[in-house]
Amino acid sequence: MIQNIDFDQETALRKSLVQVALGRVQADVLVQVARLLDTGTATWIEEADIVISNGRIAFVGPRGSYQGTVKTIIDRRHLIAVPGLGEVHKHIESSHITPEHEAALVLPRGNTWTCEASHELSNVLPKHTLDFWLKARDAGSPLKIFPLPGSAVPPTGWEHGAYLDGSDQSGFMVNPMTAGLDEVMDWPAITEPANPGHDRLWSMIGATMAARGVVEGHGAGLRDLPNINAFSAAGLASDHEAWTAEEAWNKLRCGLFIEIRVHTMADIIKGLLERGLTDWSQVAVTTDDRSATDTLRLGATDYNVRSAIQAGLSPEIAIQLATINPARHMRLTPWVGSITPGRFADLVLLDDLDGFSLAEVWADGKQVSEGTKYLLDPVKIDWPDWARNTINIGRHLDAQDFAIKAEEGRRDMQAPVLRPFHWSEDVPIRTLPVVAGMVERDETQNITKFSIIDRYSGKGAVTKMFWLGCGPKDPDTALCCSMAHDKHNIWCVGSSDAAMALAVNELAHMGGGWVLVHKGEVTARVRYEIAGLMTARPAVDNDAEMRALYAAGDKVEWMYEPSFHPRWLPGFPERLAIATLTCAPWRWNLVAASDHAPEGLIHVVTGETRPVVF
């Protein structure tokens, strides 16, 4: 029976594999392939046989070398075998589909195991982190998920709500499926003993190391040698945030495992080749965040491998970057990363190596796909209330909740104005009009209103301020979402307070997702009824709703400030879901209300607060 790793049962299974390998016990399946990549040596076994028993590899060798008997022989002598591909760092939450539907999406694209970076789900359901990620496999899903509970719970010491520390992590690490600790992002909390997150984060690092787990890192903006050295010295073992070859090279030389994302892959691989890198064992390719819509369009881990080949790596090394390298880094080589005895019988069968064209995928010793068609039905999971009922605003909001009062008698007021991806210590100050005692937006200055709504406490707290160069120009229009990295409170941007209230109330009613209000009417919805981050429906259903949202968004006139950020493109402002990040290199940002920052505008490194108008 398919299940998560259990050490007591693992011993019994390994005993049986010994007998199968020696030919004393009949095997289940023998798969004949044209050639097989040994990822440990990056060499090929020509005309290979793969012997499978109880969902594991029992024997690998040249054609005819197995001395035992088998129940079934599968002829795939026209195909090339490589191991099931792995994700070293992925947020399944960013696919926006639950794990059973993630399996149906990514398995036909070669991805048979995933190290789940869980600070999204962990911020919403901290105590249920393992329950959630292991449920699909326990129900029979072929996708292996190795959770890394979130370190960013909360993302900074200045934020409140869900909380995990070293005692929680010690409990998580008892489970053999737990690979380590998800990316440590709050660098100021690591380096500054006075930071309110310092003791909590170090307790999680210590608990992970005590259990021989892996502490994943997040080194965005850390490019100077003192900080890179300090990052490595802290025990943060990896970084997926390198943007240039020079940064990746310096981090490799300081002992970090580099996880390359697709959008920087071509430049980094080219630069590392130019610098003479020959040993790629400290490098992997990674997805990080990719929506179901983009996976349907581009691919999953197979797209990462193809991109690495196109960037200049040999197919053998590119495949290592998605198999044995991440498995070694995550200390999972007894189970994944190679087609060798004892490992899960996960095979990617190719009909073209250079183009990395997938013909079939096998998982747990059975064929699960043909081309990109999934041959199984997703396992059935009745997700409990704790996974579904996560939007707790506590009351109906109205326009007044989004209004910003002016000082009595003022005709205008000053306001600090943020923009998406504001990484500067300085915040622009603009003069805004006062109408009927309220500070108003100013479309002539490209200024709108942005808000964060606490979705956890039930108090209905709303923080709001003015933002520059984002949001709708059209009247009575608003966009809101319950995906707001990394705390995942609700964010809303709008041209009127009434439209913002309408959007957020509709989102709360459906349990999370996206809502677009255009000229006073709800014109699009996307449901994320599980944790406010995912839907328990197939990828194509989520994709259809997202496409409808984009189509409705195309009818809206959006603000745009081209001078600020070349990647901040005009049109539907989807990247506002990332603009709420509070990790490095962010400085000022709007967070949910707290005793420390009742208006929510805070410098996330120093804890300094400011009024939203003065």
Side-chain angles (χ1 to χ4, degrees):
M1 177 182 176
I2 293 173
Q3 60 185 2
N4 289 299
I5 295 167
D6 179 280
F7 283 147
D8 291 335
Q9 296 181 27
E10 185 76 9
T11 301
L13 177 57
R14 300 264 175 176
K15 286 182 179 180
S16 72
L17 291 175
V18 169
Q19 301 305 313
V20 175
L22 293 172
R24 297 171 180 171
V25 173
Q26 188 177 45
D28 296 327
V29 178
L30 186 151
V31 182
Q32 301 172 327
V33 295
R35 57 199 312 226
L36 179 155
L37 179 64
D38 171 40
T39 51
T41 61
T43 61
W44 294 92
I45 302 174
E46 303 294 336
E47 297 184 345
D49 286 345
I50 306 165
V51 177
I52 298 169
S53 178
N54 290 311
R56 299 288 184 96
I57 306 292
F59 182 96
V60 174
R63 185 89 69 248
S65 57
Y66 181 58
Q67 299 301 302
T69 61
V70 297
K71 297 175 184 176
T72 305
I73 296 176
I74 304 294
D75 184 353
R76 295 294 186 269
R77 287 178 290 176
H78 60 296
L79 298 177
I80 301 165
V82 303
L85 307 180
E87 291 279 12
V88 70
H89 174 79
K90 184 178 184 181
H91 306 281
I92 292 175
E93 304 96 318
S94 293
S95 297
H96 307 306
I97 52 178
T98 47
E100 71 275 28
H101 295 292
E102 168 82 357
L105 174 65
V106 303
L107 276 162
R109 293 162 176 85
N111 177 194
T112 64
W113 60 277
T114 296
C115 289
E116 159 57 34
S118 185
H119 64 226
E120 321 304 342
L121 190 280
S122 291
N123 263 292
V124 181
L125 299 168
K127 305 303 182 182
H128 289 289
T129 294
L130 295 191
D131 299 334
F132 186 86
W133 294 118
L134 301 182
K135 190 176 287 291
R137 180 72 174 163
D138 282 337
S141 172
L143 179 66
K144 294 88 183 161
I145 297 176
F146 299 97
L148 287 85
S151 66
V153 185
T156 69
W158 315 110
E159 297 169 81
H160 70 289
Y163 185 89
L164 292 176
D165 62 12
S167 61
D168 298 299
Q169 183 67 1
S170 293
F172 291 142
M173 290 302 302
V174 172
N175 192 297
M177 295 298 290
T178 306
L181 181 66
D182 185 28
E183 52 182 315
V184 175
M185 302 194 301
D186 191 359
W187 184 235
I190 295 296
T191 59
E192 303 301 329
N195 186 289
H198 184 79
D199 291 343
R200 184 193 71 84
L201 266 181
W202 276 104
S203 75
M204 296 197 85
I205 293 170
T208 307
M209 288 184 165
R212 306 283 292 185
V214 179
V215 180
E216 288 285 274
H218 172 112
L222 304 182
R223 299 187 177 94
D224 61 286
L225 283 178
N227 269 299
I228 294 173
N229 275 270
F231 187 91
S232 184
L236 311 185
S238 69
D239 184 37
H240 57 273
E241 291 288 340
W243 283 79
T244 66
E246 180 180 10
E247 180 183 353
W249 182 252
N250 287 336
K251 288 177 175 177
L252 279 171
R253 284 186 153 184
C254 283
L256 297 178
F257 186 84
I258 299 301
E259 302 161 356
I260 308 175
R261 297 179 295 194
V262 170
H263 58 269
T264 56
M265 188 176 294
D267 290 342
I268 289 179
I269 287 178
K270 178 183 177 183
L272 294 180
L273 287 169
E274 289 173 348
R275 285 165 172 79
L277 184 65
T278 56
D279 181 357
W280 289 80
S281 60
Q282 278 289 96
V283 180
V285 290
T286 187
T287 295
D288 199 357
D289 300 280
R290 188 175 299 156
S291 67
T293 291
D294 283 343
T295 300
L296 289 167
R297 179 173 61 92
L298 300 171
T301 320
D302 59 325
Y303 176 63
N304 301 346
V305 174
R306 280 193 294 274
S307 298
I309 294 171
Q310 292 165 5
L313 292 181
S314 69
E316 292 82 2
I317 292 178
I319 293 166
Q320 284 182 316
L321 268 57
T323 55
I324 193 66
N325 290 8
R328 284 172 176 157
H329 172 66
M330 287 296 186
R331 303 169 189 172
L332 296 173
T333 52
W335 298 283
V336 294
S338 63
I339 303 176
T340 50
R343 281 70 183 174
F344 287 108
D346 294 352
L347 315 174
V348 174
L349 301 183
L350 307 172
D351 53 26
D352 174 47
L353 177 63
D354 291 334
F356 205 72
S357 173
L358 281 63
E360 298 177 9
V361 176
W362 288 53
D364 299 311
K366 296 180 180 179
Q367 184 179 351
V368 298
S369 74
E370 183 176 352
T372 56
K373 179 183 178 183
Y374 192 53
L375 300 178
L376 310 180
D377 292 325
V379 298
K380 302 294 184 183
I381 298 178
D382 183 14
W383 289 101
D385 287 347
W386 55 255
R388 292 180 177 273
N389 298 331
T390 67
I391 305 296
N392 182 24
I393 295 175
R395 63 186 177 88
H396 186 85
L397 302 180
D398 59 33
Q400 288 301 309
D401 289 303
F402 296 88
I404 298 177
K405 285 187 177 182
E407 293 177 4
E408 190 172 349
R410 295 280 294 271
R411 287 201 252 180
D412 56 47
M413 290 196 74
Q414 306 300 300
V417 181
L418 291 183
R419 59 173 176 79
F421 310 102
H422 185 93
W423 297 330
S424 172
E425 297 286 349
D426 299 322
V427 179
I429 305 297
R430 297 292 176 88
T431 301
L432 297 177
V434 173
V435 179
M438 302 296 171
V439 188
E440 292 295 331
R441 306 159 178 80
D442 188 351
E443 183 184 322
T444 65
Q445 297 188 66
N446 218 14
I447 291 173
T448 188
K449 191 177 284 182
F450 186 85
S451 67
I452 299 290
I453 301 91
D454 179 354
R455 65 126 145 171
Y456 299 109
S457 69
K459 297 178 180 178
V462 180
T463 56
K464 55 268 183 179
M465 66 175 297
F466 296 99
W467 273 38
L468 179 64
C470 65
K473 282 188 178 180
D474 289 344
D476 292 319
T477 300
L479 177 68
C480 73
C481 185
S482 56
M483 175 187 61
H485 295 280
D486 284 308
K487 191 62 195 158
H488 299 292
N489 283 300
I490 297 165
W491 61 266
C492 186
V493 64
S495 60
S496 79
D497 296 343
M500 294 173 79
L502 174 60
V504 175
N505 287 328
E506 180 67 19
L507 183 144
H509 175 72
M510 68 183 193
W514 293 85
V515 173
L516 175 63
V517 171
H518 189 205
K519 297 181 179 179
E521 300 290 335
V522 175
T523 58
R525 303 172 182 83
V526 178
R527 261 195 303 137
Y528 295 160
E529 75 280 6
I530 304 299
L533 301 171
M534 294 164 275
T535 183
R537 294 174 295 153
V540 291
D541 292 357
N542 172 254
D543 176 54
E545 286 191 350
M546 287 302 300
R547 290 182 184 277
L549 176 64
Y550 295 143
D554 285 343
K555 299 176 182 178
V556 177
E557 184 178 4
W558 300 99
M559 291 182 176
Y560 174 49
E561 193 74 20
S563 63
F564 280 143
H565 200 288
R567 295 179 65 222
W568 184 251
L569 302 176
F572 181 76
E574 185 171 12
R575 290 182 67 82
L576 284 175
I578 304 175
T580 53
L581 280 167
T582 53
C583 61
W586 265 254
R587 295 295 187 266
W588 287 98
N589 218 328
L590 187 69
V591 300
S594 67
D595 292 341
H596 179 77
E599 290 188 90
L601 180 55
I602 189 169
H603 191 296
V604 295
V605 175
T606 66
E608 179 187 352
T609 63
R610 289 185 180 181
V612 297
V613 292
F614 60 92

